[in-house]
Amino acid sequence: MTSSYISNPLIFLIDTLIYLYMVVVALRLIMQWAHWEYHNPMVQFIIKLTQVPVKFLRRFIPAAGRWDTATLVLLIVVALIKIIAVGMLAGVLPKGLFWLTILFAELFQLFINIFTVSIIIEVILSWVTPAGSYNPVAPLVGKMNAPLLRPVRRTIPPVAGVDLSPLFVLLGLQVLSMLVMPLLAGRYI
């Protein structure tokens, strides 16, 4: 057995667990931007998972206007921990300013993934949620995706009662990722 026999599953596990926590921290940033209802059970879940480190960081890092800079710093720190942990296990640590580009790439892809998944969730919920029922996730993804979907909905009307705006926004997010990620990773043509 080679050393990768143990290190590959360990890298996968650490990468996945830290990435999931990054998603929760990023959602805490998004909840301020999207004005999520504080009493929603999903919002309470996000706050409970992030409250201890955010509260600690708030002692040293003041808010910038209505933005919680402590949460942003926490997201950056968790992303750096992920890069370092995975890099050490893989035996490849970035050098020089490459740290910064990897950090930007990691955060950019995180938000692209969050919005992609949230749009897919919103579409699926619109198909399966019975009229008049309450789902705690539906109003959150609706408020979160509205700034992305609204301009497309104004431009492209529904076709035979089918809203195609989520499809166009998903395509746009993927094209944006394909254009920006190579630049951040240093693989531009």
Side-chain angles (χ1 to χ4, degrees), residues 2 4 38-39 50 72 78-79 84 89 97 112-113 147-148 151 154 156 158 160 162 174 186-187:
T2 63
S4 65
Y38 179 77
H39 298 290
T50 57
L72 180 60
V78 173
I84 291 168
L89 287 170
L97 289 178
I112 291 288
N113 292 343
L148 296 175
R154 275 184 269 173
I156 303 169
V162 177
Q174 293 312 306
R187 295 186 311 255

Side-chain angles (χ1 to χ4, degrees), residues 84-164:
I84 291 168
V86 171
M88 286 176 58
L89 287 170
V92 182
L93 285 174
K95 293 176 176 58
L97 289 178
F98 200 57
W99 279 95
L100 201 54
T101 60
I102 290 176
L103 177 65
F104 283 135
E106 189 78 34
L107 294 176
F108 177 79
Q109 194 61 51
L110 172 71
F111 283 100
I112 291 288
N113 292 343
I114 287 173
F115 281 102
T116 299
V117 170
S118 71
I119 289 171
I120 293 170
I121 289 171
E122 185 175 1
V123 167
I124 291 171
L125 286 175
S126 73
W127 295 339
V128 299
T129 305
S133 66
Y134 175 73
N135 184 324
V137 175
L140 302 181
V141 293
K143 285 183 176 181
M144 179 175 152
N145 296 330
L148 296 175
L149 294 172
R150 194 177 306 120
V152 178
R153 284 184 175 137
R154 275 184 269 173
T155 307
I156 303 169
V159 177
V162 177
D163 182 13
L164 296 176

Side-chain angles (χ1 to χ4, degrees), residues 11-96:
I11 289 170
F12 167 76
L13 186 62
I14 289 173
D15 185 51
T16 302
L17 291 175
I18 295 174
Y19 184 81
L20 289 173
Y21 191 69
M22 284 174 58
V23 168
V24 173
V25 175
L27 286 173
R28 184 166 178 147
L29 277 175
I30 291 170
M31 76 182 198
Q32 295 170 350
W33 171 70
H35 303 290
W36 284 355
E37 178 63 39
Y38 179 77
H39 298 290
N40 185 297
M42 293 305 296
V43 172
Q44 290 299 310
F45 174 77
I46 291 166
I47 290 172
K48 290 237 191 253
L49 286 180
T50 57
Q51 188 63 19
V52 172
V54 168
K55 195 173 184 181
F56 173 77
L57 288 171
R58 280 187 184 149
R59 287 194 252 165
F60 311 104
I61 304 167
R66 54 176 224 145
W67 289 100
D68 186 5
T69 50
T71 304
L72 180 60
V73 169
L74 176 62
L75 181 60
I76 292 168
V77 167
V78 173
L80 285 172
I81 289 170
K82 179 180 179 280
I83 293 166
I84 291 168
V86 171
M88 286 176 58
L89 287 170
V92 182
L93 285 174
K95 293 176 176 58

